Amino acid sequence: CALMDLGEGHTFRKEIGKDKLSDVMTVKPYTSLESMSKTLLKDVKDRWHKNGPPVVYVKYRALLHYHAQKKVWPDGSSDDFVSVTKEFLKMQGLKDDYLGDDGDLKQLASTASAEVSPVCAVMGGVLGNEVIKAISSKGEPANNIMMFDGTDGGCRSFVLK
């Protein structure tokens, strides 16, 4: 996942055809990085996940929460990851099994710090393209959250409001 804060008032010109750009537009709605990270997960919905937040995003936030609490990333030996994550999910207004059972959470902990080169390459390419759009103001930038799910190869962007 990548959280993007382009700044209040960021403008761009949307591509509307071959070599055609729209009039100048402003990114709306604008949500600051601070607001994104404080949004309760129970309030996060997108057009693909009407009944709750995207699982990839919840996993991302759970890993960030664990790191903020323990000052280390979880791994296969992190016995407390399951309990910390279940408590975090409850605090966020979700069921404690939203990410699966204890075995699923242990699997998440064991792979949390893995570096998978193809995933890094895909995210680097996508985010590099977003940086070019943001700097040049040419093309509609991803606003807010970009998620890449390595299990299905899907890359989605959605807006926290």
Side-chain angles (χ1 to χ4, degrees):
C1 286
L3 303 180
M4 293 174 250
D5 182 347
L6 298 172
E8 194 167 11
H10 178 78
T11 59
F12 65 95
R13 295 180 65 185
K14 194 174 192 174
E15 295 178 79
I16 55 174
K18 185 175 171 134
D19 299 326
K20 293 181 185 175
L21 297 172
S22 70
D23 293 333
V24 175
M25 304 169 78
T26 303
V27 170
K28 289 185 182 173
Y30 169 73
T31 307
S32 70
L33 184 61
E34 183 179 358
S35 295
M36 283 185 248
S37 62
K38 289 181 179 177
T39 301
L40 288 176
L41 288 172
K42 71 178 180 70
D43 298 329
V44 175
K45 308 269 187 302
D46 69 6
R47 64 182 178 193
W48 300 282
H49 305 89
K50 304 282 188 222
N51 298 324
V55 171
V56 173
Y57 183 61
V58 176
K59 288 178 180 180
Y60 171 75
R61 291 273 303 268
L63 292 169
L64 290 179
H65 174 77
Y66 183 86
H67 185 267
Q69 294 287 313
K70 304 294 180 176
K71 307 298 184 226
V72 296
W73 294 107
D75 58 28
S77 65
S78 303
D79 295 330
D80 60 345
F81 180 73
V82 171
S83 60
V84 169
T85 299
K86 285 185 172 189
E87 185 60 34
F88 170 71
L89 292 172
K90 286 186 218 172
M91 287 179 354
Q92 293 294 314
L94 300 174
K95 293 181 180 179
D96 67 357
D97 64 349
Y98 192 82
L99 295 178
D101 61 20
D102 290 6
D104 295 325
L105 292 176
K106 288 177 184 177
Q107 176 68 26
L108 177 59
S110 68
T111 60
S113 61
E115 292 182 23
V116 184
S117 298
V119 173
C120 296
V122 169
M123 283 302 288
V126 169
L127 293 175
N129 190 42
E130 291 302 317
V131 168
I132 290 169
K133 287 194 285 186
I135 292 171
S136 69
S137 296
K138 234 176 158 178
E140 184 173 8
N143 182 14
N144 240 260
I145 297 180
M146 175 77 63
M147 297 182 308
F148 174 73
D149 187 347
T151 59
D152 68 6
C155 192
R156 294 179 179 89
S157 176
F158 74 97
V159 177
L160 284 178
K161 299 176 185 176

